[in-house]
Amino acid sequence: MVSVHRPTRGYRVFQSVNGVILTLVVVVTLYPFVNIVARSFSGERQIRAGEVTLWPRGFNLTTYKIVFQDAMFWRNYGNTVLYTVVSTVVAMVLTTCYAYVLSKKHLRGRGLLVGIAVFTMFFTGGLIPNYVLISSLGMKNTIWALALPNAISVFNLLVMKAFFESLPTDLEEAAQIDGLSTYGILLRIVLPLSKAVVATMILFYSVAFWNSWFAAFLYMDSTELMPATVYLRNLISGATGGGNAGAATEQLSQVGANIQSVTIVLTALPILCVYPFVQRYFVSGVMLGAVKG
C-alpha cells in the first residue's frame, strides 16, 4: 500500500497565515485602482464629499464624453501608439545587440563596455546639455527625440546580458560548426531560446515609453505631435489651474474633481489589456536573467 503523508499541523497553520497575508496584499493593491475607476464614473459633488469608495456615486460620464469627442485626443492617442511601438522596437534592437556582445567573455574591452553602461546609471549630462544636443542634431519635433535618448535602459541591458550568459555555449559552438554567422546564431538560436526575457523587456520598455510625457513636453512644439499623456496632463492643468488645455478646458472646469481619475484610467487601460498576454513571461524572464551576474 502507498502511504499518504498528511500535512502537519504547523504546515496547515503556515498555509492559513500565508493565505490571509496574500489576500490582504491583493486587497491593498487593488483598492486604490478600483477607487480610481469608481471616481472616474462618479459625480463632482460625491467625489468632493468623499462618498466614493469602491462603487461610483452620482454616475457621471461627462468627462469621458468630453475627452472622447475631442479630435485632438484621438490624434494624440495615435501619436502615443506610434511613439511607443517605434521606440520599443529601437530599444529592443539596441539593447539585445549590446547585451549579446557583453555576454561574450572572450570579447576584448568587455569590461570597459560594461563600465561605460554602468557609469550612465549614476551620471548624466543634465537637462540643458541634453536639450542642446537634441536641438543641434535636428531631432526636435521628431519621433527620434523620444526614441533615441532613452533607447537603452542599463537595468534591462544587464538583465539580458545575464540571461544570455546563462544559455549553454554548446549550442552556439554547434551552430558555428554548421556554418552560422554571429547574426545567424543570435537570430536563429539565441533569440528563440530567450522568449521569456525578450517579452519581459518589451513590457518594461513599452510601459516606460507609453507613460512618458516630459520628453515630448520638452521637445515637441506642436500640440498635434504630442502624445496622449501630454494631452491628459494639459487637461488636468486646465481643469485645476485655469490653463489652456484646448477646446475641452472650459467644459472640464465643471468636472475638475474627477478629471484626474479619468486621465489615470485612460492612460493605464491599454497597458492593462496587454499585460495578461506577457504576464506568464514576466517572472521567469526576470528570475532567469538574475541567476548569473
Side-chain angles (χ1 to χ4, degrees), residues 202-248:
I202 290 175
L203 177 65
F204 284 173
Y205 276 122
S206 59
V207 170
F209 287 121
W210 182 273
N211 292 329
S212 176
W213 68 273
F214 186 71
F217 184 75
L218 189 65
Y219 299 125
M220 300 295 186
D221 296 330
S222 173
T223 55
E224 295 185 352
L225 298 174
M226 298 292 185
T229 47
V230 177
Y231 173 91
L232 299 175
R233 178 261 176 196
N234 290 339
L235 285 186
I236 296 176
S237 175
T240 60
N244 182 20

Side-chain angles (χ1 to χ4, degrees), residues 6-146:
R6 295 182 178 180
T8 63
R9 180 179 180 182
Y11 183 71
R12 292 197 299 269
V13 172
F14 168 77
Q15 284 186 312
S16 300
V17 174
N18 196 36
V20 171
I21 293 176
L22 291 179
T23 302
L24 291 175
V25 171
V26 171
V27 171
V28 171
T29 303
L30 290 180
Y31 175 79
F33 184 75
V34 175
N35 177 256
I36 287 294
V37 174
R39 288 168 59 94
S40 70
F41 289 102
S42 298
E44 175 83 4
R45 182 182 62 81
Q46 288 79 4
I47 296 175
R48 294 187 180 277
E51 299 176 1
V52 182
T53 53
L54 299 178
W55 194 255
R57 301 290 300 273
F59 193 76
N60 168 41
L61 292 176
T62 303
T63 306
Y64 280 106
K65 290 179 180 179
I66 295 173
V67 173
F68 288 156
Q69 290 173 358
D70 191 352
M72 186 58 68
F73 168 75
W74 295 110
R75 176 67 178 268
N76 292 160
Y77 222 83
N79 291 341
T80 299
V81 175
L82 175 64
Y83 296 161
T84 300
V85 171
V86 173
S87 299
T88 301
V89 170
V90 172
M92 286 302 302
V93 171
L94 296 180
T95 303
T96 302
C97 293
Y98 198 176
Y100 184 65
V101 167
L102 295 181
S103 68
K104 303 305 174 186
K105 296 183 179 180
H106 62 272
L107 177 70
R108 293 183 180 180
R110 175 174 177 265
L112 176 62
L113 293 176
V114 174
I116 291 174
V118 174
F119 180 84
T120 61
M121 294 181 67
F122 305 101
F123 303 96
T124 63
L127 179 61
I128 296 177
N130 283 335
Y131 184 84
V132 172
L133 177 63
I134 296 299
S135 300
S136 62
L137 292 176
M139 292 195 298
K140 281 193 63 178
N141 297 312
T142 68
I143 190 175
W144 308 117
L146 311 180

Side-chain angles (χ1 to χ4, degrees), residues 139-162:
M139 292 195 298
K140 281 193 63 178
N141 297 312
T142 68
I143 190 175
W144 308 117
L146 311 180
L148 295 182
N150 301 308
I152 297 180
S153 166
V154 179
F155 172 80
N156 295 345
L157 173 69
L158 297 179
V159 170
M160 291 196 74
K161 165 184 168 294

